Amino acid sequence: MTTELEVNPKLLRWAREECGYSPSEIADRIHIDQETYLEWERTGTGLGLNDLIALSKECKRQIAFFFLPNVPPKTKKPNDFRNLEPALAKLSEKTLLAIRHTVRFQDFLLQLHSTEFYQDKYSWITRFKESFAGQLDSEESVLWLRNILNYPIEEQTASAINAEASYKRWRSSVEHNMGIHVFQFALPKEEVQGFSYSDSFPYCITINNAYPATSRTFTLFHELGHILKSQSGLCKPDDTVFRREDTATEYDCNSFAGSLLVPAKEVVTAKDKDTIYKYASRLKISSEVYLRRLFALGFVSENEFFPLLDEIRKSVLPTKPHYPKSPVTKSINSRGDALFNSTLEAMSQRKVTYSLASDILGLKINYLSSLQT
């Protein structure tokens, strides 16, 4: 005889909505009819253990969660700056899970390091705003930020470094020189390129790892633009139009990212796809980003810009996300070495348990044990 369980019905709805499922979608996923599921949400009764195990798996929650007396607050999502039709704007399970992971990492890091720690880390932002009155993309402000990042143009353009290595170098500089954590997950490409949180400590950026390195680099600095504007944003920079009056915030962040990655003195006039590619490759950026800079600086007209943009986009080959084979490498790749190392240090100092560290880093406890030896 199957034992029926009684759970908190409000938690069923909360967990479903956190994953972005409709009642019919969650019912299909656990292979029951919608009316049965809706009855569970109304009463919290009628579920068997197997039903609860299936729900736990689909909602990425422990079984014990559904017996809690109180409903947690909803995960705060970034402001949606994507230029998408309403029908396409719904966030998928993968993106909602990445948002949940980011918020969890953010809360964990704040518990490790305190508000005062991050206030000191971000003193450079106060100096930046005082020095440049919030103007993101002036030549002086960009030079000031590049000095903090400590990635000289000579290193950026060195032939020995490729686009992937350049992205990793930029990411490391943002994490260690600016104190902003950078996470990455493989998400649906048509949905989002990145998002950021700047309304609580620590500031965080999450990048869609399904895009090539040149795109991730641009998204990284687009999101940094949002943080400098004190905004939390959910973005798809590639879909941003090219006139400021249409989407001013996204235009400003795109302009900032382009100015930082392609200083004006590094721009060489180009009027065809192949030449644009040559100069873009030198800077480890995409041809589209280089073309944007040519347009912004007046080196190509609007009549020239859109045909070139169309030609460049048609020539881009599809890419697949790279998944590291080693679990440790995969953990560092998704969480960033700043979070990874902070967690290991806290574990070695017994500030966090092996179990919590295992959960945060997505590693089995035996891997963590080997890292401590």
Side-chain angles (χ1 to χ4, degrees):
M1 180 178 176
T2 302
T3 302
E4 290 191 356
L5 305 172
E6 184 173 353
V7 300
N8 185 338
K10 293 180 180 178
L11 289 173
L12 289 176
R13 179 171 182 173
W14 184 93
R16 170 178 63 78
E17 290 178 346
E18 282 284 291
C19 291
Y21 297 138
S22 67
S24 62
E25 287 170 333
I26 191 67
D28 285 344
R29 283 177 169 267
I30 62 175
H31 309 296
I32 61 166
D33 63 85
Q34 183 177 335
E35 280 306 310
T36 298
Y37 175 78
L38 288 172
E39 184 63 21
W40 293 350
E41 274 200 6
R42 281 192 289 270
T43 67
T45 60
L47 299 83
L49 179 59
N50 288 338
D51 298 321
L52 199 56
I53 290 172
L55 279 171
S56 173
K57 182 178 179 180
E58 289 299 331
C59 295
K60 308 292 190 299
R61 301 284 171 184
Q62 295 182 349
I63 290 175
F65 167 83
F66 295 97
F67 295 94
L68 295 174
N70 300 315
V71 179
K74 289 188 175 182
T75 301
K76 185 176 181 180
K77 298 178 180 63
N79 297 322
D80 194 343
F81 290 110
R82 296 172 300 162
N83 186 29
L84 295 177
E85 295 294 329
L88 303 175
K90 181 183 176 183
L91 298 177
S92 67
E93 173 196 1
K94 282 188 174 181
T95 300
L96 289 170
L97 184 58
I99 289 173
R100 281 162 49 191
H101 280 321
T102 298
V103 172
R104 179 120 194 271
F105 296 160
Q106 191 180 34
D107 291 343
F108 173 76
L109 285 161
L110 184 59
Q111 290 174 26
L112 282 187
H113 296 302
S114 81
T115 298
E116 292 74 18
F117 174 87
Y118 285 108
Q119 285 175 334
D120 182 63
K121 278 279 187 183
Y122 301 138
S123 61
W124 67 268
I125 297 180
T126 302
R127 297 196 304 273
F128 174 81
K129 291 181 177 180
E130 289 174 349
S131 299
F132 303 105
Q135 186 177 358
L136 293 185
D137 61 353
S138 70
E139 189 172 343
E140 294 79 11
S141 64
V142 165
L143 177 61
W144 193 89
L145 290 168
R146 284 189 66 108
N147 284 337
I148 287 182
L149 290 162
N150 193 27
Y151 188 18
I153 195 69
E154 294 79 14
E155 186 179 347
Q156 182 184 348
T157 56
S159 58
I161 189 170
N162 61 21
E164 185 67 41
S166 186
Y167 166 72
K168 290 178 180 178
R169 177 70 168 79
W170 283 123
R171 180 185 182 186
S172 178
S173 291
V174 169
E175 285 210 322
H176 295 288
N177 296 18
M178 292 181 161
I180 297 170
H181 289 271
V182 183
F183 313 126
Q184 55 177 25
F185 304 97
L187 306 172
K189 290 185 71 173
E190 69 281 0
E191 190 170 300
V192 65
Q193 285 173 261
F195 56 87
S196 54
Y197 281 97
S198 66
D199 49 6
S200 59
F201 291 156
Y203 300 154
C204 299
I205 293 171
T206 296
I207 306 291
N208 186 348
N209 195 31
Y211 279 85
T214 53
S215 177
R216 280 178 276 142
T217 298
F218 186 78
T219 300
L220 174 64
F221 289 105
H222 176 100
E223 297 305 329
L224 178 61
H226 278 293
I227 288 173
L228 291 174
K229 290 167 75 71
S230 301
Q231 297 169 332
S232 297
L234 180 78
C235 308
K236 203 166 184 294
D238 283 357
D239 288 349
T240 299
V241 294
F242 299 91
R243 298 178 184 84
R244 190 179 189 283
E245 59 269 21
D246 294 322
T247 52
T249 297
E250 291 297 86
Y251 179 94
D252 287 347
C253 291
N254 271 2
S255 179
F256 164 71
S259 298
L260 190 143
L261 291 167
V262 193
K265 66 179 183 178
E266 299 298 323
V267 177
V268 181
T269 303
K271 296 284 188 177
D272 64 89
K273 174 175 67 69
D274 293 336
T275 307
I276 289 171
Y277 175 78
K278 180 179 77 171
Y279 292 133
S281 297
R282 174 177 173 268
L283 291 158
K284 285 74 181 183
I285 59 172
S286 68
S287 294
E288 183 170 329
V289 171
Y290 196 84
L291 176 61
R292 289 175 190 248
R293 283 296 278 154
L294 290 172
F295 181 55
L297 294 170
F299 289 119
V300 298
S301 67
E302 188 169 319
N303 288 338
E304 294 170 316
F305 175 82
F306 286 103
L308 278 169
L309 177 65
D310 186 56
E311 191 177 357
I312 286 169
R313 286 184 169 177
K314 285 180 178 177
S315 67
V316 174
L317 298 174
T319 58
K320 294 182 179 180
H322 170 68
Y323 299 104
K325 293 182 180 179
S326 160
V328 172
T329 304
K330 184 177 180 180
S331 177
I332 296 172
N333 185 58
S334 64
R335 288 150 175 83
D337 57 16
L339 170 60
F340 188 88
N341 292 333
S342 290
T343 306
L344 288 187
E345 183 180 356
M347 189 177 69
S348 68
Q349 295 174 356
R350 299 190 178 183
K351 292 180 179 178
V352 301
T353 64
Y354 271 72
S355 177
L356 178 56
S358 171
D359 187 40
I360 291 293
L361 297 181
L363 292 172
K364 294 181 179 178
I365 290 178
N366 63 307
Y367 278 109
L368 295 177
S369 300
S370 66
L371 291 171
Q372 292 290 291
T373 58

